[in-house]
Coordinates of all heavy atoms in Angstrom, one line a residue:
Chain B
Y369 N -1.4 -5.4 58.0 CA -1.9 -6.4 58.9 C -2.2 -7.7 58.1 O -2.0 -8.9 58.6 CB -3.1 -6.0 59.6 CG -2.9 -4.8 60.7 CD1 -3.6 -3.6 60.5 CD2 -2.0 -5.1 61.7 CE1 -3.4 -2.7 61.5 CE2 -1.9 -4.0 62.5 CZ -2.5 -2.8 62.5 OH -2.4 -1.8 63.4
S370 N -2.8 -7.5 56.9 CA -3.3 -8.6 56.1 C -2.1 -9.5 55.7 O -2.1 -10.7 55.8 CB -4.1 -8.1 55.0 OG -4.3 -9.1 54.0
Q371 N -1.1 -8.8 55.2 CA 0.1 -9.5 54.7 C 0.7 -10.3 55.9 O 1.1 -11.5 55.7 CB 1.1 -8.6 54.1 CG 2.2 -9.4 53.4 CD 3.2 -8.5 52.8 OE1 3.5 -7.3 53.3 NE2 3.8 -8.8 51.6
T372 N 0.8 -9.8 57.0 CA 1.3 -10.4 58.2 C 0.5 -11.7 58.5 O 1.0 -12.8 58.7 CB 1.3 -9.5 59.4 OG1 2.0 -8.2 59.0 CG2 2.0 -10.2 60.6
A373 N -0.9 -11.5 58.5 CA -1.8 -12.6 58.8 C -1.7 -13.7 57.7 O -1.5 -14.9 58.1 CB -3.2 -12.1 58.8
L374 N -1.6 -13.4 56.4 CA -1.6 -14.4 55.5 C -0.3 -15.1 55.4 O -0.1 -16.2 55.0 CB -2.2 -14.0 54.1 CG -1.4 -12.9 53.2 CD1 -0.2 -13.4 52.4 CD2 -2.5 -12.3 52.3
T375 N 0.8 -14.3 55.8 CA 2.0 -15.0 55.9 C 2.1 -16.1 57.0 O 2.6 -17.2 56.7 CB 3.1 -14.0 56.2 OG1 3.2 -13.1 55.1 CG2 4.5 -14.6 56.3
K376 N 1.5 -15.8 58.1 CA 1.3 -16.9 59.1 C 0.5 -18.0 58.7 O 0.7 -19.1 58.9 CB 0.6 -16.2 60.4 CG 1.5 -15.1 61.0 CD 2.7 -15.6 61.7 CE 3.6 -14.6 62.3 NZ 4.8 -15.0 62.9
I377 N -0.7 -17.6 58.0 CA -1.6 -18.7 57.6 C -0.9 -19.6 56.5 O -1.0 -20.8 56.6 CB -2.8 -18.1 57.0 CG1 -3.7 -17.4 58.1 CG2 -3.7 -19.1 56.2 CD1 -4.7 -16.4 57.5
A378 N -0.1 -18.9 55.7 CA 0.6 -19.8 54.7 C 1.6 -20.7 55.2 O 1.7 -21.8 54.8 CB 1.3 -18.8 53.6
E379 N 2.1 -20.4 56.4 CA 3.1 -21.2 57.0 C 2.4 -22.5 57.7 O 2.9 -23.6 57.5 CB 3.7 -20.5 58.3 CG 5.0 -19.8 57.9 CD 5.5 -19.0 59.1 OE1 5.4 -19.4 60.3 OE2 6.0 -17.9 58.8
I380 N 1.2 -22.2 58.2 CA 0.5 -23.2 59.0 C -0.4 -24.0 58.2 O -0.7 -25.2 58.4 CB 0.0 -22.8 60.3 CG1 -0.2 -23.9 61.2 CG2 -1.3 -22.0 60.0 CD1 -0.3 -23.4 62.7
L381 N -1.0 -23.5 57.1 CA -1.9 -24.1 56.2 C -1.4 -24.2 54.8 O -1.6 -23.2 54.0 CB -3.3 -23.2 56.3 CG -4.0 -23.1 57.5 CD1 -5.3 -22.2 57.4 CD2 -4.4 -24.4 58.1
P382 N -0.8 -25.2 54.5 CA -0.3 -25.4 53.1 C -1.4 -25.4 52.0 O -1.1 -25.3 50.9 CB 0.5 -26.8 53.1 CG -0.1 -27.5 54.4 CD -0.6 -26.3 55.3
E383 N -2.6 -25.6 52.4 CA -3.7 -25.6 51.5 C -4.2 -24.2 51.1 O -5.0 -23.9 50.3 CB -4.9 -26.4 52.0 CG -5.6 -25.8 53.3 CD -5.1 -26.4 54.5 OE1 -3.9 -26.6 54.7 OE2 -5.9 -26.8 55.5
F384 N -3.5 -23.2 51.7 CA -3.8 -21.8 51.5 C -3.1 -21.4 50.2 O -2.0 -21.3 50.2 CB -3.3 -20.9 52.7 CG -3.9 -19.6 52.7 CD1 -5.3 -19.2 52.7 CD2 -3.1 -18.5 52.6 CE1 -5.7 -17.9 52.7 CE2 -3.5 -17.1 52.6 CZ -4.8 -16.9 52.7
V385 N -3.9 -21.2 49.1 CA -3.4 -21.0 47.8 C -4.1 -19.8 47.2 O -5.3 -19.7 47.2 CB -3.6 -22.3 46.9 CG1 -3.1 -21.9 45.5 CG2 -3.0 -23.5 47.5
G386 N -3.3 -18.9 46.6 CA -4.0 -17.7 46.1 C -3.0 -16.8 45.3 O -1.9 -17.1 45.0
G387 N -3.5 -15.6 45.0 CA -2.7 -14.7 44.3 C -3.5 -13.4 44.1 O -4.6 -13.1 44.7
S388 N -3.0 -12.5 43.2 CA -3.5 -11.2 42.9 C -3.8 -11.1 41.4 O -3.1 -11.5 40.6 CB -2.6 -10.2 43.4 OG -2.9 -8.9 42.9
A389 N -4.7 -10.2 41.1 CA -4.8 -9.8 39.7 C -3.9 -8.6 39.4 O -4.3 -7.5 39.1 CB -6.4 -9.3 39.5
D390 N -2.7 -9.1 39.3 CA -1.6 -8.2 39.0 C -1.5 -6.9 39.9 O -1.1 -5.8 39.5 CB -1.7 -7.7 37.6 CG -0.5 -7.1 36.9 OD1 0.6 -7.7 37.1 OD2 -0.5 -6.0 36.4
L391 N -1.8 -7.1 41.2 CA -1.6 -6.0 42.2 C -0.8 -6.5 43.4 O -1.1 -6.0 44.5 CB -3.0 -5.4 42.5 CG -3.7 -4.5 41.5 CD1 -5.1 -4.2 41.9 CD2 -2.9 -3.2 41.3
T392 N 0.0 -7.4 43.2 CA 0.6 -8.1 44.3 C 1.3 -7.0 45.2 O 1.1 -7.1 46.4 CB 1.8 -9.0 43.8 OG1 1.1 -10.1 43.0 CG2 2.6 -9.7 44.9
G393 N 2.0 -6.1 44.7 CA 2.8 -5.1 45.5 C 1.8 -4.2 46.2 O 2.1 -3.7 47.3
A394 N 0.7 -4.0 45.7 CA -0.3 -3.0 46.2 C -1.3 -3.8 47.1 O -1.5 -3.3 48.3 CB -1.1 -2.4 45.1
N395 N -1.6 -5.0 46.9 CA -2.4 -5.9 47.7 C -1.6 -6.3 48.9 O -2.3 -6.8 49.9 CB -3.1 -6.9 46.9 CG -4.0 -6.5 45.8 OD1 -4.0 -7.1 44.8 ND2 -4.7 -5.5 46.0
L396 N -0.4 -6.4 48.8 CA 0.5 -7.2 49.7 C -0.1 -8.5 50.0 O -0.1 -9.0 51.1 CB 0.6 -6.4 51.0 CG 1.2 -5.0 50.8 CD1 1.3 -4.2 52.1 CD2 2.6 -5.0 50.2
S397 N -0.4 -9.2 48.8 CA -1.1 -10.5 49.0 C -0.2 -11.7 48.9 O -0.6 -12.8 48.8 CB -2.1 -10.5 47.8 OG -1.5 -10.2 46.6
R398 N 1.2 -11.5 48.9 CA 2.1 -12.6 48.8 C 3.0 -12.6 50.0 O 3.4 -11.6 50.5 CB 2.9 -12.3 47.5 CG 3.9 -13.5 47.0 CD 4.4 -13.1 45.7 NE 5.0 -14.2 45.0 CZ 6.4 -14.5 45.2 NH1 7.1 -13.8 45.8 NH2 6.9 -15.6 44.5
W399 N 3.2 -13.8 50.5 CA 4.2 -13.9 51.5 C 5.6 -14.1 50.9 O 5.7 -14.4 49.8 CB 3.9 -15.1 52.4 CG 3.8 -16.5 51.9 CD1 4.8 -17.4 51.9 CD2 2.7 -17.2 51.1 NE1 4.4 -18.6 51.2 CE2 3.1 -18.4 50.7 CE3 1.4 -16.6 50.8 CZ2 2.2 -19.2 50.0 CZ3 0.6 -17.5 50.1 CH2 1.0 -18.8 49.7
I400 N 6.5 -13.7 51.8 CA 7.8 -13.4 51.2 C 8.5 -14.6 50.4 O 9.2 -14.3 49.4 CB 8.8 -12.8 52.3 CG1 10.0 -12.1 51.8 CG2 9.2 -13.9 53.3 CD1 9.8 -10.5 51.8
D401 N 8.4 -15.7 51.0 CA 9.1 -16.8 50.3 C 8.1 -17.7 49.5 O 8.3 -18.8 49.3 CB 9.9 -17.7 51.3 CG 8.9 -18.1 52.4 OD1 7.9 -17.7 52.5 OD2 9.4 -19.0 53.3
A402 N 7.0 -17.1 49.1 CA 6.1 -17.9 48.3 C 6.7 -18.4 47.0 O 7.6 -17.7 46.4 CB 4.8 -17.1 48.0
V403 N 6.3 -19.5 46.5 CA 6.7 -19.9 45.2 C 5.6 -19.8 44.3 O 4.5 -20.1 44.6 CB 7.1 -21.5 45.3 CG1 7.4 -22.0 43.9 CG2 8.4 -21.5 46.1
D404 N 5.8 -19.2 43.0 CA 4.6 -19.1 42.2 C 4.2 -20.4 41.6 O 5.0 -21.3 41.5 CB 5.1 -18.2 40.9 CG 5.2 -16.8 41.3 OD1 4.9 -16.4 42.4 OD2 5.4 -16.0 40.3
Y405 N 2.9 -20.6 41.5 CA 2.3 -21.7 40.8 C 2.5 -21.4 39.2 O 1.9 -20.5 38.7 CB 0.8 -21.8 41.2 CG 0.1 -22.8 40.2 CD1 0.3 -24.2 40.5 CD2 -0.5 -22.5 39.0 CE1 -0.3 -25.2 39.7 CE2 -1.1 -23.4 38.2 CZ -0.9 -24.7 38.4 OH -1.6 -25.6 37.6
Q406 N 3.4 -22.2 38.7 CA 3.5 -22.0 37.2 C 3.9 -23.4 36.6 O 4.3 -24.3 37.3 CB 4.7 -21.0 36.9 CG 4.6 -19.7 37.4 CD 3.9 -18.7 36.5 OE1 3.3 -19.1 35.4 NE2 3.9 -17.5 36.8
A407 N 3.8 -23.4 35.3 CA 4.3 -24.7 34.6 C 5.8 -24.7 34.8 O 6.4 -23.7 34.5 CB 3.9 -24.6 33.1
P408 N 6.3 -25.8 35.3 CA 7.8 -25.8 35.6 C 8.7 -25.5 34.5 O 9.8 -24.9 34.6 CB 8.0 -27.1 36.3 CG 6.8 -27.9 35.9 CD 5.7 -27.0 35.6
E409 N 8.2 -25.9 33.2 CA 9.1 -25.6 32.0 C 9.5 -24.2 31.9 O 10.4 -23.8 31.1 CB 8.4 -26.1 30.7 CG 7.6 -27.4 30.7 CD 6.3 -27.4 31.4 OE1 6.2 -27.3 32.6 OE2 5.3 -27.3 30.6
T410 N 8.6 -23.3 32.4 CA 8.9 -21.9 32.3 C 9.9 -21.4 33.1 O 10.3 -20.2 33.0 CB 7.5 -21.0 32.5 OG1 7.2 -21.3 33.9 CG2 6.4 -21.6 31.6
N411 N 10.4 -22.1 34.1 CA 11.3 -21.6 35.1 C 10.8 -20.5 35.9 O 11.6 -19.7 36.5 CB 12.7 -21.4 34.5 CG 13.3 -22.5 33.9 OD1 13.3 -23.6 34.6 ND2 14.0 -22.4 32.8
L412 N 9.5 -20.3 36.0 CA 8.9 -19.2 36.7 C 8.3 -19.7 38.0 O 8.0 -18.9 38.8 CB 7.8 -18.6 35.9 CG 8.2 -17.8 34.6 CD1 7.0 -17.5 33.7 CD2 8.9 -16.5 35.0
G413 N 8.2 -21.0 38.2 CA 7.7 -21.5 39.4 C 7.4 -22.9 39.3 O 8.2 -23.6 38.4
Q414 N 6.6 -23.5 40.1 CA 6.4 -24.9 40.2 C 4.9 -25.2 40.2 O 4.1 -24.3 40.6 CB 7.0 -25.5 41.5 CG 8.6 -25.4 41.4 CD 9.2 -26.2 40.3 OE1 8.6 -27.3 39.9 NE2 10.4 -25.7 39.8
R415 N 4.5 -26.4 39.9 CA 3.1 -26.8 40.1 C 2.8 -26.9 41.6 O 1.7 -26.8 42.1 CB 2.7 -28.2 39.5 CG 2.9 -28.1 38.0 CD 1.7 -27.5 37.3 NE 1.7 -27.6 35.9 CZ 1.2 -26.8 35.0 NH1 0.4 -25.8 35.4 NH2 1.3 -27.0 33.7
T416 N 3.8 -27.1 42.5 CA 3.5 -27.1 43.9 C 3.5 -25.7 44.4 O 3.1 -25.5 45.6 CB 4.7 -27.8 44.7 OG1 5.9 -27.2 44.2 CG2 4.7 -29.3 44.4
G417 N 3.9 -24.7 43.6 CA 3.8 -23.3 44.0 C 2.4 -22.9 44.5 O 1.3 -23.5 44.0
R418 N 2.3 -22.0 45.4 CA 0.9 -21.6 45.9 C 0.6 -20.2 45.7 O -0.3 -19.7 46.2 CB 1.0 -21.9 47.5 CG 1.1 -23.5 47.7 CD 1.6 -23.7 49.2 NE 0.8 -23.0 50.1 CZ 1.2 -22.7 51.4 NH1 2.4 -23.0 51.8 NH2 0.4 -22.1 52.2
Y419 N 1.4 -19.4 44.9 CA 1.0 -18.1 44.5 C 0.7 -18.0 43.1 O 1.6 -18.3 42.2 CB 2.2 -17.1 44.9 CG 1.6 -15.8 44.9 CD1 0.8 -15.2 46.0 CD2 1.9 -15.0 43.8 CE1 0.3 -14.0 45.9 CE2 1.3 -13.6 43.8 CZ 0.6 -13.2 44.8 OH 0.0 -11.9 44.8
I420 N -0.5 -17.7 42.8 CA -1.0 -17.7 41.4 C -1.0 -16.3 40.9 O -1.5 -15.3 41.5 CB -2.5 -18.2 41.3 CG1 -2.6 -19.6 41.9 CG2 -3.0 -18.2 39.9 CD1 -3.9 -20.2 42.0
R421 N -0.3 -16.1 39.7 CA -0.3 -14.9 39.0 C -1.5 -14.9 38.1 O -1.4 -15.3 37.0 CB 0.9 -14.7 38.1 CG 2.3 -14.9 38.9 CD 2.5 -13.6 39.8 NE 3.8 -13.7 40.6 CZ 4.3 -12.7 41.3 NH1 3.7 -11.5 41.4 NH2 5.4 -12.9 42.0
Y422 N -2.7 -14.3 38.6 CA -3.9 -14.3 37.8 C -3.9 -13.4 36.6 O -4.6 -13.5 35.7 CB -5.1 -13.9 38.7 CG -5.4 -14.9 39.8 CD1 -5.2 -14.7 41.2 CD2 -6.0 -16.1 39.4 CE1 -5.5 -15.5 42.1 CE2 -6.5 -17.0 40.4 CZ -6.1 -16.8 41.8 OH -6.6 -17.6 42.7
G423 N -2.9 -12.5 36.6 CA -3.0 -11.4 35.6 C -4.1 -10.4 35.9 O -4.9 -10.6 36.8
V424 N -4.3 -9.5 35.1 CA -5.4 -8.5 35.2 C -6.7 -9.1 34.7 O -7.3 -8.8 33.6 CB -5.0 -7.1 34.4 CG1 -6.0 -6.0 34.9 CG2 -3.6 -6.7 34.8
R425 N -7.1 -10.0 35.5 CA -8.3 -10.8 35.1 C -9.1 -11.1 36.3 O -9.3 -12.3 36.9 CB -7.9 -12.1 34.6 CG -6.8 -12.1 33.3 CD -6.5 -13.4 32.8 NE -5.6 -13.4 31.7 CZ -4.3 -13.8 31.8 NH1 -3.8 -14.0 33.1 NH2 -3.5 -13.7 30.8
E426 N -9.8 -10.1 36.9 CA -10.5 -10.2 38.2 C -11.7 -11.1 38.0 O -11.9 -11.9 39.0 CB -11.1 -8.8 38.5 CG -10.1 -7.7 38.8 CD -9.6 -7.0 37.6 OE1 -10.1 -7.4 36.7 OE2 -8.6 -6.2 37.8
H427 N -12.4 -11.1 36.9 CA -13.6 -12.0 36.8 C -13.1 -13.5 36.8 O -13.8 -14.3 37.5 CB -14.4 -11.6 35.6 CG -15.9 -12.1 35.6 ND1 -16.8 -11.6 34.8 CD2 -16.6 -12.9 36.6 CE1 -18.0 -12.2 35.1 NE2 -17.8 -13.0 36.2
A428 N -12.2 -13.8 36.0 CA -11.7 -15.1 35.9 C -11.2 -15.6 37.2 O -11.3 -16.8 37.6 CB -10.8 -15.4 34.8
M429 N -10.5 -14.7 37.8 CA -9.7 -15.0 39.1 C -10.7 -15.5 40.2 O -10.4 -16.6 40.7 CB -9.1 -13.7 39.6 CG -8.5 -13.8 41.0 SD -7.5 -12.4 41.5 CE -8.8 -11.1 41.7
V430 N -11.9 -14.9 40.3 CA -12.9 -15.3 41.3 C -13.4 -16.7 40.9 O -13.7 -17.5 41.6 CB -13.8 -14.2 41.7 CG1 -14.9 -14.8 42.6 CG2 -13.1 -13.0 42.3
A431 N -13.8 -16.8 39.6 CA -14.4 -17.9 38.9 C -13.5 -19.2 39.2 O -13.9 -20.2 39.5 CB -14.9 -17.8 37.6
I432 N -12.1 -18.9 39.0 CA -11.2 -19.9 39.1 C -11.0 -20.3 40.6 O -11.0 -21.5 41.0 CB -9.8 -19.4 38.7 CG1 -9.8 -19.4 37.1 CG2 -8.6 -20.3 39.2 CD1 -8.6 -18.8 36.4
C433 N -11.2 -19.4 41.6 CA -11.2 -19.7 42.9 C -12.4 -20.6 43.3 O -12.3 -21.5 44.1 CB -11.3 -18.4 43.8 SG -9.8 -17.6 43.9
N434 N -13.5 -20.4 42.7 CA -14.8 -21.2 42.9 C -14.4 -22.6 42.4 O -14.7 -23.5 43.1 CB -15.9 -20.6 42.1 CG -16.5 -19.4 42.6 OD1 -16.2 -19.1 43.7 ND2 -17.2 -18.6 41.8
G435 N -13.6 -22.8 41.3 CA -13.2 -24.0 40.9 C -12.2 -24.7 41.8 O -12.3 -25.9 42.1
L436 N -11.3 -24.0 42.3 CA -10.4 -24.5 43.3 C -11.0 -25.0 44.6 O -10.6 -26.1 45.1 CB -9.3 -23.4 43.7 CG -8.4 -22.9 42.6 CD1 -7.6 -21.6 43.1 CD2 -7.4 -24.0 42.2
D437 N -11.9 -24.2 45.0 CA -12.8 -24.7 46.2 C -13.6 -25.9 45.9 O -13.6 -26.9 46.7 CB -13.6 -23.6 46.7 CG -14.4 -24.0 47.9 OD1 -13.7 -24.2 49.0 OD2 -15.6 -24.2 47.9
A438 N -14.1 -26.0 44.7 CA -15.0 -27.1 44.3 C -14.1 -28.4 44.2 O -14.6 -29.5 44.4 CB -15.6 -26.9 43.0
Y439 N -12.9 -28.3 43.8 CA -12.1 -29.4 43.8 C -11.7 -30.1 45.0 O -11.8 -31.2 45.2 CB -10.7 -29.1 43.0 CG -9.9 -30.4 42.6 CD1 -10.2 -30.9 41.3 CD2 -9.1 -31.0 43.4 CE1 -9.4 -32.1 41.0 CE2 -8.3 -32.2 43.1 CZ -8.5 -32.7 41.8 OH -7.9 -33.8 41.5
G440 N -11.5 -29.2 45.9 CA -11.2 -29.6 47.4 C -9.7 -29.6 47.7 O -8.9 -29.6 46.8
G441 N -9.4 -29.6 48.9 CA -8.0 -29.7 49.4 C -7.2 -28.4 49.3 O -6.1 -28.3 49.6
I442 N -8.0 -27.3 48.9 CA -7.3 -26.0 48.8 C -8.2 -24.9 49.4 O -9.5 -25.1 49.4 CB -7.1 -25.8 47.2 CG1 -6.1 -26.5 46.7 CG2 -6.9 -24.3 46.9 CD1 -5.9 -26.4 45.2
I443 N -7.6 -24.0 50.1 CA -8.5 -22.8 50.6 C -8.0 -21.7 49.6 O -6.9 -21.1 49.7 CB -8.1 -22.5 52.0 CG1 -8.5 -23.6 52.9 CG2 -8.9 -21.2 52.4 CD1 -8.1 -23.5 54.4
P444 N -8.8 -21.3 48.6 CA -8.3 -20.3 47.7 C -8.6 -18.8 48.1 O -9.6 -18.6 48.8 CB -9.2 -20.7 46.4 CG -10.4 -21.3 47.0 CD -10.1 -21.9 48.3
Y445 N -7.7 -18.1 47.7 CA -7.8 -16.7 48.0 C -7.4 -15.8 46.7 O -6.7 -16.4 45.9 CB -7.1 -16.1 49.2 CG -5.7 -15.9 49.1 CD1 -5.1 -14.7 48.8 CD2 -4.8 -16.9 49.2 CE1 -3.7 -14.6 48.7 CE2 -3.5 -16.8 49.2 CZ -2.9 -15.6 48.8 OH -1.5 -15.4 48.7
N446 N -7.9 -14.6 46.6 CA -7.5 -13.8 45.5 C -7.4 -12.4 46.0 O -7.9 -12.1 47.1 CB -8.6 -13.9 44.4 CG -9.9 -13.4 44.8 OD1 -10.2 -12.2 45.0 ND2 -10.9 -14.3 45.1
A447 N -6.9 -11.6 45.2 CA -6.7 -10.2 45.7 C -6.8 -9.1 44.6 O -6.4 -9.4 43.5 CB -5.3 -10.0 46.4
T448 N -7.5 -8.0 44.9 CA -7.5 -6.9 44.0 C -8.0 -5.8 44.9 O -8.0 -5.8 46.1 CB -8.4 -7.1 42.8 OG1 -8.4 -6.0 41.9 CG2 -9.9 -7.2 43.3
F449 N -8.1 -4.6 44.3 CA -8.8 -3.4 45.0 C -10.2 -3.7 45.3 O -10.8 -4.3 44.3 CB -8.6 -2.1 44.2 CG -7.3 -1.5 44.1 CD1 -7.0 -0.4 43.4 CD2 -6.1 -2.1 44.7 CE1 -5.7 0.2 43.3 CE2 -4.8 -1.6 44.6 CZ -4.7 -0.4 43.8
L450 N -10.7 -3.3 46.3 CA -12.1 -3.4 46.6 C -13.0 -3.0 45.5 O -14.0 -3.8 45.1 CB -12.6 -2.8 48.0 CG -14.1 -3.0 48.3 CD1 -14.5 -4.4 48.4 CD2 -14.4 -2.1 49.6
N451 N -12.6 -1.9 44.9 CA -13.5 -1.4 43.8 C -13.6 -2.3 42.6 O -14.6 -2.3 41.9 CB -13.0 -0.1 43.3 CG -13.9 0.7 42.4 OD1 -15.0 0.9 42.8 ND2 -13.4 1.0 41.3
F452 N -12.6 -3.2 42.4 CA -12.6 -4.0 41.3 C -13.1 -5.4 41.6 O -13.1 -6.3 40.7 CB -11.1 -3.9 40.6 CG -10.9 -2.5 40.2 CD1 -9.9 -1.9 40.7 CD2 -11.7 -1.9 39.3 CE1 -9.6 -0.5 40.2 CE2 -11.5 -0.6 38.8 CZ -10.3 0.1 39.4
V453 N -13.4 -5.7 42.8 CA -14.2 -6.9 43.1 C -15.4 -6.9 42.1 O -15.9 -7.9 41.7 CB -14.5 -7.1 44.5 CG1 -15.4 -8.3 44.8 CG2 -13.2 -7.2 45.3

Side-chain angles (χ1 to χ4, degrees):
Chain B
Y369 291 123
S370 168
Q371 189 179 35
T372 306
L374 65 81
T375 298
K376 298 289 183 184
I377 292 166
E379 272 173 37
I380 201 159
L381 298 180
E383 64 266 47
F384 192 64
V385 173
S388 164
D390 196 48
L391 285 169
T392 297
N395 298 141
L396 300 179
S397 48
R398 192 169 190 268
W399 60 100
I400 196 103
D401 55 352
V403 173
D404 283 4
Y405 169 84
Q406 297 275 7
E409 319 76 285
T410 61
N411 293 320
L412 293 165
Q414 296 294 332
R415 295 283 184 205
T416 53
R418 293 159 56 199
Y419 194 74
I420 301 177
R421 301 286 181 173
Y422 290 108
V424 191
R425 305 182 181 100
E426 295 83 4
H427 200 172
M429 172 169 76
V430 177
I432 286 169
C433 283
N434 291 341
L436 293 172
D437 182 68
Y439 192 92
I442 287 172
I443 301 173
Y445 76 96
N446 64 74
T448 185
F449 289 180
L450 177 58
N451 192 54
F452 299 116
V453 176

